[in-house]
Amino acid sequence: MRDFAYHQPATVPDAVALLGSVSESRPIAGGMTLLPTLKNRLASPSALIDLAGLPGLQSIEERSFGLAIGALARHADVARSRLVATRIPALARLAGSIGDPAVRHRGTIGGSLANNDPAADYPAAALALGARIVTNRREIPADDFFLGLFETALGPDELITGVVFPAPKRAGYAKLRNPASRYAVVGVFVAETANGIRVAMTGAGNGVVRVPEFEQALATSFAPEAVAHLRLAPDDFASDMHAEAAYRAHLASVMAARAVADALA
Ligand SMILES: Cc1cc2nc3c(=O)[nH]c(=O)nc-3n(C[C@H](O)[C@H](O)[C@H](O)COP(=O)(O)OP(=O)(O)OC[C@H]3O[C@@H](n4cnc5c(N)ncnc54)[C@H](O)[C@@H]3O)c2cc1C
């Protein structure tokens, strides 16, 4: 691991100023992804800007439309939050399914969204629920935020400060967990929202995507049977050491049906 400087800013503007002025600097939140990346020499920033001490970014608050969750809220906080369990229970269940206890007590929702791992869970929830990613500059609709493999709409010195989630009428999530990491081999989040049915899939390929085939089927009948036998084209799925594309395509329908059952439970 290359030597790096370490900064602990006290405010969001200070953190943003450091990111803008220290070349090759990177923000670090829970470090669950970034630290292994540094250890494996897949990144070598000159400085880490530690967000952990920034005030006010760990909150989980109720809004008339749903929830506002601070970027530094840890997965364990979301999983055990009464507010989340009441307003968007599928989101609490999703957070509780991430990794292991150590990952859930360090990893943050902002870090997960900024990282946009193609098998991560939160991006599926954000996209299906029509969340908005709040940064120090603007609010970015989830539809415009996820740009593919580890790519997002964030600018170089832009920080996620929170996420706002409209509460759905009902929602559910299901994933086949990689038995080692618990990342999704395929995960499907289904939501009946004020703007209709939205379905987002993670783990399938280069990043989270909506699935119009499932959305149309569920708009006609919000039942597991509506999607259980709907086959997506394997060409749209990735093959790797964890699963072949044809298996992932099969899993998509199975997980979609389970997610609907979860929403109806
Ligand atoms: C063993 C293991 C198992 C895991 N299993 C799962 C799983 O099942 N499902 C799942 O979804 N994830 C899983 N993860 C990932 C975990 O959920 C982390 O939360 C996530 O990868 C990153 O969050 P973090 O807070 O640790 O971010 P960090 O590692 O600190 O940062 C990740 C990236 O985001 C950037 N960043 C961090 N915060 C911000 C911010 N506020 N604004 C802008 N950029 C920011 C950093 O610069 C870095 O590029 C796993 C990780 C490990 C190590």
Side-chain angles (χ1 to χ4, degrees):
M1 190 156 51
R2 183 183 142 188
D3 286 350
F4 53 82
Y6 176 71
H7 299 273
Q8 285 180 294
T11 65
V12 171
D14 288 351
V16 172
L18 280 165
L19 283 170
S21 60
V22 181
S23 68
E24 295 179 59
S25 57
R26 287 273 288 273
I28 183 166
M32 287 292 98
T33 294
L34 189 51
L35 288 179
T37 307
L38 301 187
K39 285 180 182 168
N40 290 320
R41 301 186 184 193
L42 297 171
S44 47
S46 67
L48 292 183
I49 314 299
D50 193 347
L51 309 181
L54 299 182
L57 299 190
Q58 293 180 347
S59 57
I60 298 176
E61 292 173 359
E62 190 164 27
R63 297 278 188 270
S64 56
F65 56 80
L67 295 171
I69 300 183
L72 295 179
R74 300 187 190 280
H75 310 328
D77 301 331
V78 176
R80 66 177 172 228
S81 159
R82 279 192 170 190
L83 263 183
V84 182
T86 305
R87 296 302 302 269
I88 316 181
L91 188 63
R93 290 195 291 275
L94 175 150
S97 79
I98 294 175
D100 52 36
V103 170
R104 292 196 290 278
H105 282 85
R106 291 294 312 167
T108 66
I109 190 168
S112 177
L113 294 171
N115 195 50
N116 193 18
D117 187 293
D121 297 296
Y122 273 127
L127 190 57
L129 292 168
R132 294 191 308 282
I133 318 303
V134 185
T135 79
N136 55 303
R137 279 188 222 150
R138 54 187 172 146
E139 285 194 10
I140 310 171
D143 285 311
D144 302 330
F145 184 80
F146 302 106
L147 303 183
L149 202 63
F150 298 106
E151 292 286 330
T152 70
L154 287 175
D157 55 352
E158 187 168 17
L159 283 179
I160 298 177
T161 55
V163 197
V164 292
F165 289 98
K169 290 179 192 159
R170 49 192 172 180
Y173 182 61
K175 69 171 171 178
L176 182 75
R177 297 175 182 193
N178 179 309
S181 69
R182 309 289 194 266
Y183 272 108
V185 179
V186 170
V188 177
F189 199 105
V190 167
E192 185 177 357
T193 74
N195 299 317
I197 304 287
R198 292 173 63 101
V199 179
M201 179 166 61
T202 185
N206 281 345
V208 65
V209 288
R210 285 180 64 185
V211 191
E213 294 91 333
F214 290 161
E215 292 178 351
Q216 284 153 21
L218 292 172
T220 307
S221 166
F222 196 83
E225 303 76 44
V227 286
H229 303 294
L230 239 178
R231 290 285 167 261
L232 302 180
D235 303 354
D236 297 333
F237 290 79
S239 284
D240 59 25
M241 62 186 285
H242 303 298
E244 297 283 331
Y247 179 51
R248 277 198 165 89
H250 171 74
L251 278 180
S253 312
V254 175
M255 293 305 131
R258 288 185 189 173
V260 177
D262 182 48
L264 293 171

